[in-house]
């Protein structure tokens, strides 16, 4: 076996000379005594220039460290990153590590320092881009706007490239000129010049096809001005959106010559996608804001935004007066049913266009409901109200050409005025709605102006609204339960949950009163969610106590069915309480079924898909069509108590009731008769084969404890025995 060769200077020096990393050796006095070819390449110096040179001039970091610590020994140890300024002025990033060696023995011993430098320019640049990416992504998760994100990118880039100025030029749909986002490092005159111009359609086409064209737009037309203000060169890249459209330009201006090679252009190219991400987020926020404020179909303000616009108008009105015109299109639902939803949507869009043709720039326009529109007219009172109403009626009454059909349309208009009809948006819209209904009662195609409010009405409503808010927050409402029984057996089939409110100072508040206030003040959704939760809790408690109540029906308002999260909320409640969905029935009114929006119907179907019952309350009192009844996933219809009142003496009512029961049976729905108060009414409903009955003949709405006792006492049969055939009519309870 051959012995390894002795490592002599003839072998070691050529090996060091050919090493890939730069190596310099300097003596105890800091003079370079050896350098290899890689080190010469790092600094851009010849061998002759480097030999004998003070090492601290080559490595300024060493000079600073030695001065602070009093010697070069402090430099020995961990690696550190440093910037090297080459002879030609370019910058190189290197990782430096220094070792101390002792050569010779005794008095002849000498100390040397070996510095190893690895070129890490590529790795450093990649790391800086990653740092920038992380900073931008983290900023995007916060609630910061486009200007702040763009400013952050510019500051980071200026920190990565000495003597540079970063800018982001953004296209804005509202103006043809560039909008410039930058730091204070950009001279104001250059910013003004950039913002005074904008890209033409040809510029955008060239920019999309040739990214290098960004340099011409950011530099060529402005280089004289830039150079006069100290900026000598520019690197730019287009900012492209996900749709392939040009969203802007990111540019980097340098104050001196470029000594960084391809780094400025690489950095600019890396920043462009970050800018695009920020712009897409800004566009998404704008779309969300628009969806939150505007009706998607017509582009008019939605009801929430209308309230805010009215609030703003009230705040700035001073002594000025304005009028709120609420329009309701006659027979829109018939048009929708006859022509279909697509043409119904076209009809509504045409209504919106006609309103815009009447409105002036300072008018407020809103679609606040299915076929309900609102126009707010400033400085409108006296004869001008009649003139505006006449213009609106004339615009709406012109024939419509929809789906090759010519349709004549009329409308009713209700008008309220500020300040005569109240100090807030709720009052104004409420009075306009009431006036509109009066106009409809008076006859088609007319208008009615609301009378001034009574002085005590607003304080009473505000007082009640505040008290209700406090009661809801402190769980002060109660649920009472009215039994529903099978017509023939009188067995308990379920109960209807009814909200009750007893205030310590105001006393018992009728449901019709506080529910109306809840709807006006936006508390109705919270009350509905509370009722669902309380009903689930009560079912569990009854089950635990051995009281079987098959189902509990909870009334929800139309507001709930515009909330797409309602099905998930109900599903979570049932799972949290371990209840089968069949134990819960959701009651809706005909006003919900008249809302033909896709969102409302999808919520209804999603609730039914959970397995919950879906009941239409007060059936027969509204204006919903039978065709709409067949499209909804109803399991039950409840005939309004007005059918049952004087039921036993009016054959016409009996005929209508028989028809309703027949419709429900053929559609596979359970039919419930409400308001049963006498044995004669019960007998007639049994004869007509009604499925379920509910009313004072069996029980008033009961507290949970009394409901439990009612079941233990024998329920429906016991109630009939207690009241007997001589039971007379009772005063109806408002649900």
């Amino acid at each position: 076996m051959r012995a390894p060769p002795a490592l002599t200077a003839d072998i070691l020096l050529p090996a060091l000379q050919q090493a890939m990393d730069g190596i310099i050796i300097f003596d105890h006095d800091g003079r370079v005594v050896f350098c290899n070819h890689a080190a010469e390449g790092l600094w851009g110096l010849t061998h002759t220039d480097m030999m004998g040179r003070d090492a601290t001039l080559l490595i300024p970091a060493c000079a600073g460290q030695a001065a602070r610590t009093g010697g070069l020994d402090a430099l020995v140890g961990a690696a550190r990153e440093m910037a090297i300024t080459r002879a030609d002025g370019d910058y190189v990033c290197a990782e430096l590590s220094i070792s101390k060696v002792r050569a010779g023995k005794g008095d002849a011993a000498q100390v040397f320092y070996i510095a190893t430098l690895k070129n890490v320019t590529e790795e450093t640049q990649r790391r800086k881009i990653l740092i920038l990416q992380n900073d931008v992504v983290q900023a995007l998760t916060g609630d910061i706007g486009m200007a702040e994100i763009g400013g952050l990118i510019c500051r980071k880039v200026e920190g990565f490239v000495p003597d540079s100025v970063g800018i982001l030029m953004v296209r804005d749909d509202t103006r043809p000129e560039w909008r410039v986002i930058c730091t204070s490092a950009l001279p104001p005159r250059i910013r003004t010049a950039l913002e005074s111009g904008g890209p033409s359609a040809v510029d955008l086409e060239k920019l999309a096809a040739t990214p290098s064209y960004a340099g011409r737009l950011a530099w060529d037309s402005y280089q004289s001005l830039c150079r006069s203000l100290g900026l000598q060169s520019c690197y730019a890249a287009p900012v492209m959106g996900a749709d392939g459209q040009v969203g802007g330009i990111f540019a980097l201006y340098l104050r001196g010559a470029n000594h960084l090679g391809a780094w400025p252009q690489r950095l600019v190219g890396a920043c462009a996608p970050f800018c695009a991400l920020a712009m897409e987020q800004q566009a998404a926020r704008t779309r969300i804001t628009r969806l939150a404020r505007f009706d998607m179909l017509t582009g008019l303000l939605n009801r929430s935004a209308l309230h805010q616009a009215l609030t703003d108008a009230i705040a700035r009105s001073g002594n000025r007066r304005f009028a709120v015109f609420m329009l309701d299109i006659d027979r829109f639902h018939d048009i929708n049913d006859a022509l279909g939803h697509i043409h119904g949507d076209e009809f509504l869009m045409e209504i919106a266009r006609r309103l815009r043709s009447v409105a002036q720039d300072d008018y407020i326009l809103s679609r606040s409901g299915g076929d309900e529109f609102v126009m707010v007219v400033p400085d409108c009172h006296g004869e001008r109200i009649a003139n505006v109403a006449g213009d609106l009626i004339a615009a709406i009454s012109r024939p419509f050409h929809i789906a090759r059909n010519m349709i004549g349309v009329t409308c009713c208009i209700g008008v309220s005025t500020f300040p005569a009809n109240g100090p807030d948006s709720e009052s104004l819209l409420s009075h306009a709605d009431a006036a509109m209904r009066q106009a409809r009662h008076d006859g088609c195609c007319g208008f009615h102006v609301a009378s001034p409010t009574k002085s005590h009405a607003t304080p009473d409503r505000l007082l009640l609204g505040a008290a209700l808010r406090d009661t809801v927050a402190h769980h002060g409402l109660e649920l009472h339960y009215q039994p529903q029984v099978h017509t023939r057996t009188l067995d308990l089939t379920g109960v209807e949950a009814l909200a009750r409110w007893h205030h310590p100072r105001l006393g018992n508040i009728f449901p019709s009163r506080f529910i109306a206030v809840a709807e006006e003040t936006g508390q109705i959704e919270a009350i509905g969610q509370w009722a669902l939760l309380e009903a689930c809790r009560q079912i569990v408690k009854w089950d635990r106590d051995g009281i079987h109540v098959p189902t509990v029906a909870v009334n929800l308002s139309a507001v709930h069915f515009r909330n797409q999260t309602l099905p998930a909320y109900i599903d979570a409640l049932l799972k949290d309480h371990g209840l089968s969905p069949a134990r819960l029935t959701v009651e809706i009114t005909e006003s919900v079924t008249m809302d033909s929006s896709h969102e409302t119907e999808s919520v209804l179907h999603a609730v039914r898909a959970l397995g919950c019952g879906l009941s239409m309350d007060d059936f027969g009192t509204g204006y919903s069509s039978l065709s709409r009844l067949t499209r909804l996933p109803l399991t039950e219809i409840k005939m309004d108590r007005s059918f049952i009142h004087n039921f036993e003496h009016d054959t016409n009512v009996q005929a209508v009731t028989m028809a309703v029961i027949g419709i429900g049976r053929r559609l596979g729905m359970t039919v419930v008769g409400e308001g049963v108060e006498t044995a004669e009414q019960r007998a007639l409903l049994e004869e007509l084969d009604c499925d379920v009955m509910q009313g004072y003949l069996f029980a008033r709405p009961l507290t949970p404890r009394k409901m439990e006792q009612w079941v233990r006492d024998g329920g429906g049969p016991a109630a009939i025995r207690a009241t007997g055939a001589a039971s007379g009519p009772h005063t109806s309870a408002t649900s």
Side-chain angles (χ1 to χ4, degrees), residues 129-145:
I129 290 174
L130 285 174
I131 290 172
L132 176 59
Q133 175 182 322
N134 290 336
D135 289 343
V136 171
V137 170
Q138 184 175 0
L140 287 174
T141 60
D143 189 17
I144 349 182

Side-chain angles (χ1 to χ4, degrees), residues 22 24 35-50 53 58 84-92 119:
I24 62 173
C35 67
N36 67 354
H37 296 315
E40 295 168 13
L42 280 174
W43 273 277
L45 296 171
T46 65
H47 180 79
T48 303
D49 291 335
M50 293 193 67
R53 183 182 285 253
L58 296 174
I84 294 175
T85 304
R86 291 169 43 86
D88 58 8
D90 287 354
Y91 292 89
V92 176
N119 190 336

Side-chain angles (χ1 to χ4, degrees), residues 222-269:
Y222 311 101
Q223 57 179 308
S224 298
L225 175 62
C226 290
R227 284 178 173 153
S228 70
L229 295 172
L231 304 181
Q232 302 303 317
S233 59
C234 174
Y235 299 85
V239 178
M240 308 297 294
D243 57 357
Q245 299 298 312
V246 176
I249 291 175
F250 185 78
L252 184 65
Y253 297 91
L254 303 185
R255 289 194 174 90
N258 177 19
H259 299 302
L260 300 176
W263 172 231
Q265 187 62 55
R266 179 185 180 188
L267 184 58
V268 167

Side-chain angles (χ1 to χ4, degrees), residues 175 177-181 190-198 222:
R175 47 178 284 181
E177 299 85 10
W178 292 113
R179 181 167 66 94
V180 175
I181 298 172
I190 297 178
R191 177 172 182 165
T192 301
L194 290 171
E195 289 188 330
S196 64
Y222 311 101

